[in-house]
Amino acid sequence: MPLVSILIPCFNAEAWVGDAIRSALGQTYPRKEVLVFDDGSTDGTLEVVRSFGNAVRYEAGTHMGACAARNRLTEMSHGAWLQYLDADDVLLPRKIEVQMEVVRRCPCDPVVSPCASPNGLRDGPPHKIPWVDFLRRRIGCTISNLWRKEAVLAVGGWN
């Protein structure tokens, strides 16, 4: 079972980051690490992150923007697979487990999945053949996909 790194960049996300971290820690996929990069927050974001103790590895830096924060988290990660999770979003409990089953059956990257919106609308479950979702133009969004770390590094990270 490959390790999956759940990477949470945050900036002034005190109101939401706790929910994001809880959804990351609550993933049913057992081989995971949760990392947070505080991108120079001026509110209580870092205190919320610290409240999770050793369950979360974190680092704080100066405000550089979302792409730089994602790149720093990628550098910090140990997982072969990366789950980016914005601090104001949450993951369904089986999200990573289901995507890693796709990886086991049909290695690909990224693993594309639909994204649920705040009003509950969904694109439907991912197709059994991952490329079909590309053809249907259902490529998800940053947080709905699961990314192979070596592929993210090969393209130079986030820009």
Side-chain angles (χ1 to χ4, degrees):
M1 281 188 132
L3 179 66
V4 174
S5 299
I6 304 172
L7 310 176
I8 306 172
C10 56
F11 175 71
N12 288 343
E14 178 181 9
W16 312 284
V17 70
D19 289 337
I21 293 170
R22 278 186 285 281
S23 78
L25 294 172
Q27 289 297 296
T28 57
Y29 185 77
R31 295 227 345 118
K32 62 186 174 286
E33 64 175 356
V34 179
L35 291 84
V36 177
F37 182 80
D38 183 352
D39 191 29
S41 294
T42 58
D43 65 358
T45 297
L46 198 51
E47 288 74 27
V48 173
V49 173
R50 287 182 178 138
S51 74
F52 287 90
N54 292 334
V56 174
R57 194 160 42 103
Y58 69 91
E59 183 177 293
T62 59
H63 186 61
M64 302 178 298
C67 288
R70 285 187 187 106
N71 287 337
R72 179 62 193 128
L73 284 162
T74 302
E75 292 170 5
M76 293 169 58
S77 69
H78 295 111
W81 288 90
L82 307 175
Q83 169 62 62
Y84 295 98
L85 175 59
D86 292 342
D88 61 347
D89 290 319
V90 294
L91 302 172
L92 294 175
R94 294 189 63 235
K95 190 252 191 217
I96 294 172
E97 177 185 352
V98 169
Q99 288 180 311
M100 289 305 292
E101 178 61 26
V102 171
V103 168
R104 190 188 65 71
R105 286 192 333 261
C106 177
C108 59
D109 58 84
V111 178
V112 176
S113 290
C115 188
S117 67
N119 64 6
L121 299 176
R122 297 173 192 244
D123 293 334
H127 195 276
K128 291 178 184 177
I129 303 170
W131 295 108
V132 171
D133 283 324
F134 277 115
L135 296 173
R136 290 180 178 166
R137 296 183 183 256
R138 290 184 0 190
I139 59 171
C141 61
T142 305
I143 69 156
S144 67
N145 298 335
L146 189 66
W147 309 84
R148 188 184 304 269
K149 182 177 182 176
E150 66 186 38
V152 172
L153 294 175
V155 298
W158 295 89
N159 182 348

